[in-house]
Amino acid sequence: MAKRKAENRSFLDKWEAEYLFTYVKDKPVCLVCGVNVAVSKEYNIRRHYETKHHDKYKDLDMTQRSQKVEEMKRSLVSQQNMFKKATSQSEAAVKASYIVAAEIAKSARPFNEGEFMKKCMMKVCDLVCPEKKQAFSNVSLSRNTVADHTCDLATNLYDQLMEKGKDFVAFSLAVDESCDASDTAQLSVFIRGVDSNLCVTEELLGFKSMHGTTTGKEIFEEVSKCVTEIKLPWDKLVGLTTDGAPAMCGKKSGLVGMVREKMREENCAGELTVYHCIIHQEALCAKALKMEHVMTTVTQVVNFIRAKGLNHRQFKSFLEECGSEYADVPYHTEVRWLSRGKVLNRCFELREEICQFLETKEKDTAELREQKFLCELAFLCDISSHLDALNLQLQGRGRIITDMYAAVRAFKTKLCLWENQMMQGNPCHFPCCQSIKAQISTTVFPCAQFAEKLSVLAAEFSRRFADFDAQKCKFELLSNPFAVDVENAPTNIQMELIELQCNDTLKSKYDAVGAAQFPRFIPDTMPQLRTQTAQMLSMFGSTYLFEQLFSSMKMTKTTHRRRLTDEHLRSILRISSAQSLSPDIDELASKKRCQVPGLGTSD
């Protein structure tokens, strides 16, 4: 060991001319054959030169040797640059392949679309930049490559989510289930986590194919597996949002009951807050109006017009001849939230044209011309329009639950106002009702009946959103902490809340940035308040994400792609649903790039 320390292992400049060696990346490299020597010792370098190249270069004098060394060094640099360029081109081709695979997944296209895209790329390249044809040709977009890259991208996103999960101080789950084109039940789990900086991450946590039954126990096992795999502690789970199905909401054998039991087993101190999707409940409230007979009549009329091709063509021609503002009537689809209002409004606007067309087909239009029916149709049109407007307010990704609750509260207040105005015979916020009321006798228009329906609707909203009303104090802590009554706040945050409300600097910041951005400015000296805020920010208010996800699923796994594997479907949907995360294509490409053959080694 002492001898090795004493030896001089540094490369000497004179060895270049004497032994035709140079020093590259901490290794002595032979300029003649390109072999590198493992240990920088003169003995090893001299032995290599004398055994391999001495006879060829022994007659050169020092000047000639120096010239030869410079020539060889230039050749080596040129070779290295060529390798670097080849590596760069190879990595660019792999990156391009990943980017195209991601776009194919996002657009729900089949994997073999990559081959079609490459054909198009090559034809464009021939016309625009023929000198780059080889570079485009190197981009692999075969079906298998696109499928493999899709799985790689999804795995990378999941790894990023797992890494982010380590910093979550609170998280909530949203769970829903739907069947795909092959009648396989697909269970989806979204997570909404908040980290120590109060930044929100909302992503798909798990997508599980359930080929058997979908009982509460089986759903719980899959959800539990998702939480365990991402290594999240149960005591940080604060909220669970479902679609209200019995298998989800059962207090004993349902998902909710089993999650609560699991949290008790884990000795979790916090209480799980459970919500039924706000948007689902808003849609269910509309059923309290009990005006299905109007909707049934409208649906029958629309189906008569659109079900047969001849009737449909003739109706469109009839509207064109009449110079109508509208060209057609849309179908009503029960599962589409906004379909009801659109169909009603179109039929109300075209009520006269529809009656005239039906009469040409010798259909009875007496019911459609009745004043009572027209009044009910007008009222249903107007209230459906108001409900659709609320529905649109509640839709969207990344919505804060307090904003959604505020929209519902505002609608309940509007219902009280509309009820009072309707009782007074003043439907000023119901344009269709105003239109009909102007055409018929004021005494005939049933203002009292419609006021009663508005009262019933308001009562239904209060009943269905009672669980949200119970959280009003907590919601105010997030939406406007400066207006919260400290005495009504939880005792563990009262002291910090007083400090916050008395801080003029923080009040100015709240006024400047608004409620949505303010939580990030709550100082670290108020840990209880930050924790409470993180828990509120993590709450899901609706299962809107699932409506988007299941729409993508139906576009992806169609009757023509029923053999799509569970893994590939899961990967595609993870990519298409990603919002706060993006695949690290540079990292993936660096692992996949073509390897440049290395140089040999010698002792």
Side-chain angles (χ1 to χ4, degrees):
M1 181 66 69
K3 179 181 177 183
R4 294 185 69 177
K5 286 183 179 179
E7 289 180 352
N8 185 1
R9 297 288 178 88
S10 60
F11 186 84
L12 302 181
D13 293 340
K14 65 179 184 178
W15 294 347
E16 287 189 352
E18 290 181 8
Y19 308 123
L20 304 182
F21 263 76
T22 190
Y23 203 59
V24 179
K25 293 183 178 179
D26 300 326
K27 292 282 186 180
V29 178
C30 177
L31 289 168
V32 180
C33 63
V35 169
N36 61 56
V37 175
V39 182
S40 184
K41 293 173 58 177
E42 183 176 9
Y43 170 78
N44 294 343
I45 295 172
R46 184 174 64 248
R47 186 182 68 175
H48 174 85
Y49 170 73
E50 290 177 349
T51 56
K52 303 287 186 180
H53 312 300
H54 178 265
D55 293 341
K56 184 175 180 179
Y57 298 99
K58 63 182 179 180
D59 296 330
L60 298 179
D61 57 27
M62 289 304 296
T63 302
Q64 291 173 325
R65 279 177 172 275
S66 298
Q67 292 176 350
K68 192 67 176 176
V69 166
E70 292 301 320
E71 180 184 332
M72 289 179 172
K73 286 170 72 174
R74 285 194 296 270
S75 176
L76 178 63
V77 170
S78 175
Q79 186 180 24
Q80 289 173 335
N81 291 337
M82 181 184 68
F83 286 157
K84 287 179 182 177
K85 183 178 180 181
T87 302
S88 176
Q89 290 178 345
S90 173
E91 190 167 338
V94 175
K95 282 184 183 179
S97 181
Y98 272 112
I99 291 171
V100 172
E103 293 303 317
I104 288 174
K106 289 175 184 177
S107 60
R109 302 279 183 178
F111 294 140
N112 56 14
E113 284 284 300
E115 297 170 353
F116 170 73
M117 292 179 69
K118 182 155 184 187
K119 288 180 182 178
C120 296
M121 283 166 44
M122 298 307 297
K123 290 184 180 295
V124 171
C125 182
D126 287 340
L127 294 174
V128 178
C129 49
E131 71 280 1
K132 299 286 186 180
K133 186 172 183 178
Q134 186 58 47
F136 280 84
S137 180
N138 291 339
V139 180
S140 178
L141 293 175
S142 66
R143 185 193 182 282
N144 290 340
T145 299
V146 173
D148 291 343
H149 283 0
T150 300
C151 293
D152 291 342
L153 291 163
T155 301
N156 182 265
L157 286 171
Y158 183 79
D159 292 341
Q160 289 184 50
L161 180 60
M162 184 179 291
E163 189 64 29
K164 271 186 169 289
K166 295 177 181 178
D167 195 33
F168 286 167
V169 295
F171 72 93
S172 293
L173 299 177
V175 185
D176 202 353
E177 173 263 326
S178 183
C179 289
D180 61 22
S182 60
D183 292 328
T184 301
Q186 302 290 358
L187 180 71
S188 305
V189 183
F190 273 90
I191 186 171
R192 183 179 170 96
V194 181
D195 61 23
S196 54
N197 295 319
L198 298 183
C199 294
V200 179
T201 300
E202 190 177 82
E203 292 293 336
L204 179 66
L205 176 60
F207 189 83
K208 305 291 184 178
S209 300
M210 304 182 72
H211 297 277
T213 56
T214 56
T215 63
K217 181 181 178 181
E218 289 164 328
I219 292 173
F220 167 73
E221 288 173 353
E222 294 295 344
V223 172
S224 179
K225 192 182 298 182
C226 289
V227 175
T228 303
E229 287 175 353
I230 203 173
K231 300 178 181 178
L232 286 171
W234 285 93
D235 61 351
K236 292 183 180 179
L237 176 62
V238 296
L240 178 61
T241 302
T242 69
D243 62 351
M248 299 285 186
C249 295
K251 294 182 179 180
K252 290 185 178 180
S253 58
L255 172 66
V256 171
M258 291 188 172
V259 169
R260 281 180 167 150
E261 180 61 30
K262 176 68 174 178
M263 293 179 71
R264 281 193 291 269
E265 292 175 3
E266 297 287 333
N267 297 318
C268 300
E271 179 65 25
L272 179 69
T273 303
V274 179
Y275 290 126
H276 180 183
C277 169
I278 289 180
I279 302 179
H280 282 191
Q281 295 203 77
E282 182 264 354
L284 291 172
C285 285
K287 296 183 181 297
L289 293 170
K290 298 189 183 302
M291 299 186 72
E292 289 81 4
H293 61 286
V294 178
M295 197 67 223
T296 300
T297 301
V298 170
T299 303
Q300 289 174 349
V301 169
V302 172
N303 288 346
F304 174 78
I305 293 172
R306 297 211 45 164
K308 293 184 178 180
L310 178 60
N311 286 350
H312 192 200
R313 291 193 300 272
Q314 289 177 338
F315 181 71
K316 290 196 291 184
S317 298
F318 178 75
L319 291 179
E320 188 176 351
E321 291 172 4
C322 294
S324 173
E325 179 183 352
Y326 304 103
D328 203 354
V329 288
Y331 263 127
H332 168 52
T333 308
E334 188 68 31
V335 296
R336 293 187 181 273
W337 291 326
L338 306 180
S339 167
R340 178 190 182 100
K342 291 179 178 178
V343 173
L344 286 168
N345 275 286
R346 184 63 57 84
C347 287
F348 181 80
E349 295 293 335
L350 294 174
R351 60 189 183 279
E352 187 59 37
E353 289 87 344
I354 289 173
C355 287
Q356 292 176 14
F357 177 77
L358 292 178
E359 287 167 356
T360 64
K361 293 291 183 178
E362 300 181 351
K363 292 290 182 180
D364 184 16
T365 61
E367 182 183 3
L368 297 177
R369 293 187 181 277
E370 283 181 1
Q371 290 184 345
K372 179 183 177 183
F373 175 81
L374 289 174
C375 291
E376 290 179 333
L377 175 62
F379 175 76
L380 190 57
C381 281
D382 286 330
I383 196 62
S384 295
S385 295
H386 289 309
L387 287 167
D388 288 350
L390 173 61
N391 194 296
L392 287 172
Q393 279 185 279
L394 299 174
Q395 291 184 33
R397 292 196 64 161
R399 299 299 307 275
I400 300 175
I401 193 170
T402 53
D403 292 343
M404 302 177 75
Y405 174 68
V408 171
R409 264 197 316 154
F411 191 80
K412 288 162 64 177
T413 305
K414 291 176 185 177
L415 284 173
C416 294
L417 174 66
W418 296 336
E419 179 187 350
N420 293 332
Q421 290 176 336
M422 192 66 75
M423 281 295 293
Q424 298 167 10
N426 178 25
C428 56
H429 297 288
F430 290 70
C432 295
C433 289
Q434 286 181 304
S435 174
I436 290 296
K437 189 179 178 184
Q439 297 176 18
I440 65 176
S441 172
T442 305
T443 56
V444 175
F445 190 82
C447 289
Q449 177 188 338
F450 294 154
E452 177 62 25
K453 288 192 176 295
L454 290 171
S455 176
V456 170
L457 185 59
E460 185 69 6
F461 264 82
S462 296
R463 184 183 71 84
R464 287 194 170 274
F465 291 99
D467 51 348
F468 287 90
D469 292 335
Q471 302 289 328
K472 182 179 178 181
C473 182
K474 290 183 178 180
F475 290 162
E476 287 178 348
L477 282 171
L478 181 60
S479 60
N480 189 0
F482 294 94
V484 173
D485 185 351
V486 176
E487 292 185 4
N488 294 330
T491 55
N492 64 320
I493 66 169
Q494 286 179 340
M495 297 299 101
E496 294 179 4
L497 188 58
I498 290 173
E499 293 176 13
L500 177 75
Q501 292 180 349
C502 294
N503 191 314
D504 293 335
T505 303
L506 291 176
K507 182 65 170 67
S508 299
K509 179 62 71 173
Y510 175 84
D511 294 336
V513 301
Q517 299 297 324
F518 176 71
R520 299 182 185 180
F521 297 96
I522 298 175
D524 295 334
T525 55
M526 301 177 182
Q528 295 296 330
L529 201 54
R530 286 178 66 88
T531 300
Q532 184 75 35
T533 302
Q535 292 175 352
M536 285 294 101
L537 284 172
S538 72
M539 292 284 190
F540 279 102
S542 75
T543 56
Y544 172 79
L545 294 170
F546 296 103
E547 308 304 329
Q548 283 190 318
L549 186 76
F550 292 144
S551 292
S552 297
M553 179 184 74
K554 293 185 185 300
M555 290 174 60
T556 302
K557 192 170 182 178
T558 63
T559 52
H560 301 291
R561 297 183 73 190
R562 300 174 80 170
R563 295 178 62 188
L564 190 69
T565 66
D566 294 340
E567 181 188 5
H568 285 151
L569 178 61
R570 179 168 56 250
S571 298
I572 291 169
L573 294 180
R574 186 176 294 282
I575 294 168
S576 62
S577 65
Q579 183 181 25
S580 53
L581 301 178
S582 298
D584 190 343
I585 292 177
D586 289 338
E587 178 187 345
L588 292 170
S590 65
K591 295 177 181 177
K592 287 276 187 178
R593 69 186 181 198
C594 298
Q595 298 295 317
V596 178
L599 300 173
T601 61
S602 176
D603 292 335

